[in-house]
Every structure is written in structure tokens, then in C-alpha cells.
Amino acid sequence: MNAVAASIARWDTLNRAHRRIESRVGRHLHQRLGLGASEFHALRALDESVRAGSGLLYLNILANGIGLSQSGTSRLVTRLQDRGLVTTHLSPHDRRSVEIKLTPVGREVVRIGSPVLYRAVEEVVRELRAEGTDEDLVRYLRGSTHEAISHRIPPRSGPLRSTGAVSQSAD
């Protein structure tokens, strides 16, 4: 196989793995929290902004961070706001900009959902490894998930307690 074909084959493998992980993550998050993957990624981005000290994000920055258009992100934020997970207001510095802030319920959803996300990724990575997927890709995926959150994940417990914004369905 020439270099171009090998590169395309690696990209195809990565693309299939990404779609599979994203599908599994979406299914798990929907079952446990009633959220889609994009919604949860937005909540995580807002949570990271809190950890970084700003506590809020502008709509356009959130859109860029989660890979959606500004109008798609606006619709997503409206859904999150309707569920009490975020608040929005016009920026006092630029009345054309919308600031988005995670609510305490939204932070709780991120706390509950992070282990769900982790387990979904781990499941797919184990399957990919068992199927003989490129070992470098599997090693990268296992290393990045383990380094990022493995020591912070609490043991799996029973159904989620209700926060008023999340469903109580099991995996």
C-alpha cells in the first residue's frame, strides 16, 4: 500500500471509530440524562469555562468550541435553558453578544454525565481493541481517556437521583 492509500486508510479507521464512539456516547447520555452528545459537550465546555475562571462563554465561542453553527448553538442553548441547565443574558460590554452560564443543576448534570461519557468511550475502545483496530489508535484513545478522567470516576451506582432536569432511566 502506498503512502497516500495508507494515510486514507488510517483516516477512514479514525473516522469510523469517532462515529462509533459519538453514537455510543449519545445513546448512553440520552438514556441516563435525556441529553444528546452535542448538548452534553456544550455543558462540559461551560463547566470548563467555570474551572478556567470566567464562569461564562459567549455564544459564538461556544459554537466554535462544540463545532456547531451559531444558529444551531443558539437552538441548543435554548433547549438547555428550557431545562434549567444554563442561563443567558446580553453582554453588558457588547449588547450584540449573548453570554451563557451554567446553572448549579447544569454543573450537577456534568458531574453525573462525565462517568457516563467515560464508560461509553471505554466500551467502544475495548471493542475496537478486540476487533484488531490499529493499535496506535487504540493506545491513543485508551491513554487519553485514562489520563483525562480515570482517577476521578466514582464507582458505578444505581439509578440517578433526580435533580429535576435529568431523567432517572438506567443504562
Side-chain angles (χ1 to χ4, degrees):
M1 180 181 306
N2 68 33
V4 171
S7 180
I8 291 171
R10 283 191 305 275
W11 168 248
D12 286 342
T13 300
L14 176 61
N15 194 28
R16 280 191 307 277
H18 176 264
R19 285 194 316 260
R20 192 165 163 184
I21 289 169
E22 204 58 20
S23 174
R24 184 78 50 94
V25 164
R27 188 168 56 248
H28 281 252
L29 289 170
H30 183 72
Q31 288 171 347
R32 292 292 300 237
L33 300 169
L35 293 173
S38 293
E39 293 166 324
F40 190 72
H41 291 314
L43 293 175
R44 286 188 61 237
L46 288 162
D47 187 56
E48 289 171 12
S49 75
V50 169
R51 293 174 197 267
S54 74
L56 58 85
L57 285 177
Y58 291 105
L59 183 67
N60 62 332
I61 294 171
L62 180 60
N64 289 335
I66 61 175
L68 293 178
S69 68
Q70 198 158 342
S71 64
T73 303
S74 181
R75 289 188 301 272
L76 180 145
V77 167
T78 298
R79 289 191 307 271
L80 296 175
Q81 190 173 19
D82 289 347
R83 293 185 67 182
L85 303 174
V86 300
T87 60
T88 64
H89 61 276
L90 292 177
S91 169
H93 309 292
D94 179 357
R95 305 298 274 163
R96 296 169 297 170
S97 297
V98 175
E99 296 177 344
I100 307 157
K101 187 173 182 180
L102 198 59
T103 65
V105 173
R107 280 192 295 281
E108 178 70 1
V109 169
V110 172
R111 187 192 67 76
I112 292 168
S114 292
V116 174
L117 173 71
Y118 174 78
R119 281 191 289 276
V121 172
E122 278 294 297
E123 283 177 14
V124 174
V125 171
R126 277 193 307 274
E127 292 167 7
L128 291 170
R129 187 172 189 201
E131 294 165 4
T133 300
D134 178 83
E135 190 58 37
D136 288 335
L137 174 60
V138 171
R139 191 176 313 109
Y140 171 76
L141 292 170
R142 287 188 58 82
S144 64
T145 56
H146 282 283
E147 291 163 10
I149 56 178
S150 67
H151 297 294
R152 296 183 300 189
I153 300 301
R156 188 173 195 153
S157 59
L160 297 175
R161 67 180 190 281
S162 178
T163 63
V166 295
S167 68
Q168 290 194 20
S169 61
D171 279 346

